[in-house]
Amino acid sequence: MGLLDQLLSRALGQNTEQPQRNQLLDLAMNFVQNYPGGLSGLVQQFTNAGYGQQARSWVGTGQNMPISADDLQQVLGQGHVQSMEQRTGLSAQAASGGLAALLPVLVDQLTPHGQVDDQTDLASALNTLRGKLG
């Protein structure tokens, strides 16, 4: 089991079934890749909502601070969470809970030098991360 796989197992819990785990990983990766403004926009959204310390910890080289599913819903808004629910077929709580568990891991892995690089090709970087899981 690779490092990223271990991180994801820890984030989602050992009891998460593989199909649901893959669905949540796809949701989180699509969310990051398609977020308006990329990683900078995502960090700014969390900062604007009062969760900048958490987002900066994911980018930084230290320990990642967690975020709860409820806090994530507050940052993103109920409409965005409902959209995730409709796309995945998961409950709003499962979708936001999975995203809350995976987002810190993904942002951390996409910012290995402790800063957001707006020149990073997120699609390529996420594909590389997915390859590490296979």
Side-chain angles (χ1 to χ4, degrees):
M1 180 183 289
L3 175 61
L4 184 57
D5 206 25
Q6 290 174 0
L7 291 171
L8 292 176
S9 292
R10 193 175 322 139
L12 292 174
Q14 297 291 340
N15 296 328
T16 305
E17 294 180 22
Q18 192 65 35
Q20 184 180 19
R21 183 175 167 214
N22 290 341
Q23 194 173 22
L24 289 169
L25 184 58
D26 287 343
L27 172 71
M29 287 185 158
N30 286 330
F31 174 78
V32 170
Q33 183 176 343
N34 297 312
Y35 198 83
L39 286 177
S40 293
L42 183 63
V43 170
Q44 189 61 49
Q45 177 69 28
F46 277 83
T47 300
N48 292 346
Y51 295 92
Q53 186 176 7
Q54 287 86 340
R56 286 187 300 277
S57 77
W58 310 336
V59 171
T61 57
Q63 186 74 18
N64 291 338
M65 294 177 67
I67 189 158
S68 72
D70 290 338
D71 290 342
L72 186 71
Q73 286 183 25
Q74 182 178 339
V75 171
L76 300 179
Q78 191 61 32
H80 193 81
V81 173
Q82 287 174 340
S83 174
M84 290 188 304
E85 179 183 15
Q86 291 170 350
R87 283 194 313 266
T88 63
L90 298 169
S91 70
Q93 191 62 31
S96 60
L99 187 58
L102 289 172
L103 198 55
V105 173
L106 290 178
V107 173
D108 181 60
Q109 292 294 308
L110 292 168
T111 56
H113 303 293
Q115 59 187 13
V116 174
D117 181 357
D118 288 327
Q119 302 304 312
T120 298
D121 179 357
L122 285 178
S124 294
L126 288 166
N127 282 334
T128 300
L129 287 178
R130 181 170 289 289
K132 291 179 181 180
L133 294 171

